[in-house]
Amino acid sequence: MKLVWQRDSATVRDVYEALLGRRKIAYTTVMTMMKILETKGYLKKRRQERAFVYRPAHPKEKVIGKMIREFMDRVFNGSAEPLLVHLVRGKHIRERDLEKVRRMLEESK
Amino acid sequence: MKLVWQRDSATVRDVYEALLGRRKIAYTTVMTMMKILETKGYLKKRRQERAFVYRPAHPKEKVIGKMIREFMDRVFNGSAEPLLVHLVRGKHIRERDLEKVRRMLEESK
DNA sequence: CTTATAGTACTAATTAATTCGTATGTCAAG
DNA sequence: CTTGACATACGAATTAATTAGTACTATAAG
């Protein structure tokens, strides 16, 4: 998914070659993965020339939002607050970013 | 895991009965799950009377911290800031909780 | 027309996770 | 001593996810 997002659209070959850099994998494996992502509704495909070109079916923001929500549901029974607390209190986050968040919160007041 | 945390310690039977409330499941299934959690280092067991009593092997905070980090790595390539931004901007979080976070941030300044 | 190439479709093998059954042991009640 | 309740150990069946192979098609080069 990330790879398709980065490129906004990508063929199986594009993704295949990008993945090859990191690990050994078969071309058809990538094909299968992308087909599954398609049937699950994360990618759309469109024939272009000989090959399929895949693009995201939904805006990235939306998908990530859904992932966050699922994570929250699973780990914190759906409430965001404890997650925030962890993030702020733990050493997950750099001081510089904290400052950014402070400002954001001020604005949205 | 959640169930053991809630109880601080639990037998297979405890967990089994708690799960039964939600879905049909076999006693031995729960046993296997807990044994796996043990070999993976999430639970410790200790014989008590006839049965094993399981307790968390690590403090809950620590485990959850690890899960958050893994999630961040996977989804945001390891940086916390975009996750924060999502949480604050999206409708994941109630106004009341936002206020709490604001206060926390002020204090930790 | 033949062949090499790049692609898909379909199927199959592999691996990992989940769920459960059977055999067996222990203890307390009768 | 026998039986029933309750436990574990071990192995196996099931299901889901991941990875890959083979057959077939279209196209462009020669």
Side-chain angles (χ1 to χ4, degrees), chain B residues 12-13 16 25-35:
Chain B
V12 171
R13 176 147 303 268
Y16 167 62
I25 193 169
Y27 181 90
T28 48
T29 304
V30 178
M31 237 191 48
T32 309
M33 289 191 320
M34 290 177 79
K35 191 162 20 190

Side-chain angles (χ1 to χ4, degrees), chain B residues 32-96:
Chain B
T32 309
M33 289 191 320
M34 290 177 79
K35 191 162 20 190
I36 288 175
L37 285 176
E38 192 219 343
T39 60
K40 289 198 176 169
Y42 293 109
L43 293 177
K44 286 179 303 192
K45 76 179 166 188
R46 207 158 58 85
R47 190 144 229 148
Q48 189 166 304
E49 316 290 309
R50 313 223 271 103
F52 288 128
V53 174
Y54 288 87
R55 350 181 121 262
H58 306 289
K60 175 174 172 180
E61 303 310 312
K62 206 164 192 169
V63 175
I64 290 195
K66 201 173 148 193
M67 294 177 73
I68 292 178
R69 197 175 315 269
E70 279 168 9
F71 182 74
M72 280 179 359
D73 287 348
R74 189 162 52 81
V75 179
F76 299 103
N77 300 310
S79 58
E81 191 260 348
L83 174 53
L84 261 305
V85 173
H86 258 279
L87 284 171
V88 172
R89 279 221 277 256
K91 35 202 166 317
H92 299 289
I93 184 165
R94 290 173 303 240
E95 185 50 43
R96 186 159 58 75

Side-chain angles (χ1 to χ4, degrees), chain A residues 1 4-5 32-45 54-60 62-63 66:
Chain A
M1 280 306 301
V4 179
W5 279 331
T32 310
M33 287 189 324
M34 290 177 80
K35 191 161 21 189
I36 288 175
L37 284 175
E38 193 220 344
T39 59
K40 288 198 176 168
Y42 293 109
L43 293 177
K44 286 178 303 191
K45 75 180 169 187
Y54 288 87
R55 358 182 116 257
H58 307 289
K60 175 175 171 179
K62 207 164 193 169
V63 175
K66 201 173 147 196

Side-chain angles (χ1 to χ4, degrees), chain A residues 2-107:
Chain A
K2 277 199 216 164
L3 290 171
V4 179
W5 279 331
Q6 270 175 29
R7 291 163 174 68
D8 180 73
S9 83
T11 63
V12 171
R13 176 147 305 267
D14 294 334
V15 175
Y16 167 63
E17 277 165 8
L19 285 182
L20 257 193
R22 300 191 226 157
R23 62 196 173 104
K24 171 187 160 292
I25 193 169
Y27 181 91
T28 47
T29 304
V30 178
M31 234 189 52
T32 310
M33 287 189 324
M34 290 177 80
K35 191 161 21 189
I36 288 175
L37 284 175
E38 193 220 344
T39 59
K40 288 198 176 168
Y42 293 109
L43 293 177
K44 286 178 303 191
K45 75 180 169 187
R46 208 158 58 86
R47 189 143 229 149
Q48 188 166 306
E49 316 293 307
R50 312 223 271 103
F52 288 127
V53 174
Y54 288 87
R55 358 182 116 257
H58 307 289
K60 175 175 171 179
E61 302 310 311
K62 207 164 193 169
V63 175
I64 290 195
K66 201 173 147 196
M67 294 177 74
I68 293 178
R69 198 175 314 269
E70 278 167 11
F71 181 74
M72 281 180 358
D73 286 349
R74 189 161 53 81
V75 179
F76 300 102
N77 300 309
S79 58
E81 191 260 348
L83 174 55
L84 261 305
V85 173
H86 258 279
L87 284 170
V88 171
R89 279 221 277 255
K91 34 204 165 317
H92 299 289
I93 185 166
R94 291 172 303 241
E95 187 49 42
R96 187 160 57 76
D97 290 334
L98 269 186
E99 195 45 53
K100 203 183 290 178
V101 175
R102 278 198 198 96
R103 275 199 302 277
M104 242 171 57
L105 280 171
E106 284 311 312
E107 285 165 21

